[in-house]
Amino acid sequence: MEYQIMKADMAQDDEKHYLGHVTFTLAGHQSQYEITLFSKNGKEWDYSLNFAGDSGIEEEFLKADELLEEDDDLFDALVDAALDSMKQ
């Protein structure tokens, strides 16, 4: 799936847990999405997907969430973008 990352950030809290956000688009989707990423160790990630800005088409949102579950390359690219933002 073709995607474009609009912005990404990641930070560690006092307990060294990771919390990040990535705003991105998917080819053929009208809305931008924001994924919130959380990890206690930087290896196993929990996430929450939301529309970035106004709500969009629910069917597209469900498809985006399904893609994140099934497409490891897409999910890893979003995590990497957030992690890379820490190095800057």
Side-chain angles (χ1 to χ4, degrees):
M1 170 61 73
E2 215 176 299
Y3 63 91
Q4 182 177 6
I5 294 172
M6 313 307 284
K7 64 180 177 178
D9 65 75
M10 178 76 70
Q12 282 185 292
D13 64 18
D14 294 339
E15 298 173 8
K16 300 296 184 194
H17 298 159
Y18 292 84
L19 179 63
H21 306 89
V22 180
T23 303
F24 66 101
T25 58
L26 294 172
H29 289 228
Q30 293 181 8
S31 299
Q32 289 185 5
Y33 301 102
E34 180 180 71
I35 187 171
T36 301
L37 301 160
F38 176 78
S39 177
K40 290 184 178 182
N41 58 16
K43 294 183 174 91
E44 298 169 10
W45 294 93
D46 292 323
Y47 77 91
S48 174
L49 183 65
N50 295 290
F51 287 110
D54 295 333
S55 294
I57 300 169
E58 184 177 356
E59 291 170 355
E60 288 184 358
F61 179 85
L62 295 173
K63 178 67 174 170
D65 195 40
E66 183 180 322
L67 277 168
L68 290 171
E69 288 287 334
E70 296 177 0
D71 188 337
D72 290 340
D73 291 337
L74 172 60
F75 187 80
D76 290 346
L78 298 176
V79 171
D80 288 345
L83 288 170
D84 287 349
S85 76
M86 289 180 69
K87 299 173 186 170
Q88 299 175 5

